[in-house]
Amino acid sequence: MSVPIRTIASANGLEATRLAYQMILNGSDVLPAVVEGVTLVEDDPDDMTVGYGGLPNEDGIVELDAAVMHGPTHRAGGIAGLRNVRHAAKLAQLVMEQTKHHLLVGEGANAFARAQGFPEEDLLTDKTRKIWLYWRQTSSDRDDWLPPPYEQLDPAVIEFFKLTKDHGPETVYQRSEVADRPTGTIHCSGIDAQGNLSCVTTTSGLAFKIPGRVGDSPLIGAGLYVDNEVGSCGSTGRGEENIRNCSSHLGVELMRQGISPKEAGLEVLRRLVKQVRERWLLGADGKPNFGLKLYLINREGDFAGASIWGPSKFAVTDDQGTRFEPCAYLFEKPTKT
Ligand code: ASP
């Protein structure tokens, strides 16, 4: 059986898919290829959702989560709560290859990184520090922090929080009540000509999270899952919802029943949305107030992106080139008036 070589990723992974595809074409196993691809994004200071330059936790410290899964051997490795080391995906691959464990967390993850010779550095950039500081200054009117006047704010902060000139303590406290908690991550998966699948998910997690919070990205079955005889599924978006619905495992299990990647992804999201009852997760219209996307490939190389909210896109590279494709979605994003 020969299938088309293909790599797919979240929308921030266009270059990751391009590099991974090229490596697979040149004979690489799929796993190191997709890991090399996401490493580009971990190194990118402008991507505030992953690796170096990722948004920090509520104390202003960047904590990374990542995992890999290798289809041919069904082995996996993960890292959670990693500080001061940018290449979380490569470290997760080493957990898979050079330990008998699947998940190392916190100080243990850092000790493993030191043992493997990974350099340590501050992952916070000046831009993410300023964004975090503004978030901290405006998260509550019941502490002693105050934001600076509009004129003293960095343009990156203004753009990030979409601030207008009427910004001041009163308006910011109203704003922060409803402020979006930015999410982001990169998931990348691939298939080679023999139909072998592998994938990786790496992230700085939910911005301004409680220190020690672990999301779905390093958890097999939640943020990613592969069964080499069936397919691969991975996710970006609000991780708590993937954890309690085992989304990626479910996506693969639905494909096992012969359901297409697109329909499998949409069905996972429908079930997940049905379970959301918490006030803080629902908008006034009763729909989820968070985003979540799945990226799926089956053993034949058919693929899809599925999102709660659309229109949105994901990245693909195959013999047709490197491009964005639209995600299937459940709800249309309300247009801002
Ligand atoms: N899934 C990630 C997490 O919950 C965040 C994201 O993808 O936006 O940690």
Side-chain angles (χ1 to χ4, degrees), residues 162-207:
K162 304 198 174 30
L163 301 177
T164 52
K165 279 219 162 89
D166 65 355
H167 145 104
E170 291 74 23
T171 56
V172 295
Y173 295 134
Q174 282 165 15
R175 181 207 56 76
S176 59
E177 280 295 303
V178 292
D180 282 343
R181 297 285 296 283
T183 53
T185 291
I186 178 165
H187 173 77
C188 185
S189 58
I191 187 163
D192 68 14
Q194 289 71 47
N196 289 311
L197 294 144
S198 286
C199 64
V200 56
T201 306
T202 178
T203 188
S204 51
L206 191 63

